[in-house]
Amino acid sequence: MTHTDLADKDKLMSELRTVITDAEELLRMTADQVGDSAEGIRARMTERLHQATHELNHLQHAAIEQAKAAGHATDEFVHENPWKSVGIAAGVGLVIGLLISRR
């Protein structure tokens, strides 16, 4: 998973948290409204909020597991190929240094 994908997933999770918070606030604000239709809507919204919260927790757990797996894979690669890792790090440092010096 690329850095952009992770950033997009983090942004999506943040926006979903905001929507859930806003919806919960809306439910609290309309709690004094009476009627069968208002109660039915509140019940459906509450159920959907619980589902969204569960899905958000699942996505967050999956993202954490993917990050851990990437960390373990990187650690294994570095231990198995120490000189190759040093070479890659030096190359990346050189490229970054060249890009910074151009400005």
Side-chain angles (χ1 to χ4, degrees):
M1 186 170 283
T2 65
H3 178 67
T4 305
D5 291 340
L6 290 174
D8 289 344
K9 188 178 275 191
D10 287 342
K11 183 178 178 185
L12 176 64
M13 288 180 4
S14 175
E15 289 175 1
L16 186 54
R17 280 190 189 100
T18 302
V19 169
I20 289 170
T21 302
D22 291 347
E24 287 172 342
E25 180 65 24
L26 179 64
L27 282 174
R28 282 192 291 278
M29 290 172 56
T30 61
D32 59 343
Q33 300 292 326
V34 293
D36 291 337
S37 64
E39 185 60 36
I41 291 171
R42 274 196 299 278
R44 285 195 311 269
M45 279 187 69
T46 301
E47 177 60 30
R48 289 183 182 148
L49 281 173
H50 288 299
Q51 289 173 350
T53 303
H54 177 71
E55 183 64 25
L56 179 62
N57 289 335
H58 176 70
L59 285 174
Q60 187 173 10
H61 180 72
I64 290 170
E65 290 301 316
Q66 286 178 344
K68 285 180 182 178
H72 290 298
T74 303
D75 187 50
E76 284 181 26
F77 177 81
V78 169
H79 285 300
E80 292 173 3
N81 304 297
W83 288 110
K84 190 183 280 187
S85 301
V86 170
I88 291 170
V92 170
L94 178 67
V95 170
I96 290 173
L98 290 173
L99 291 174
I100 289 174
S101 68
R102 284 188 168 185
R103 290 186 179 193

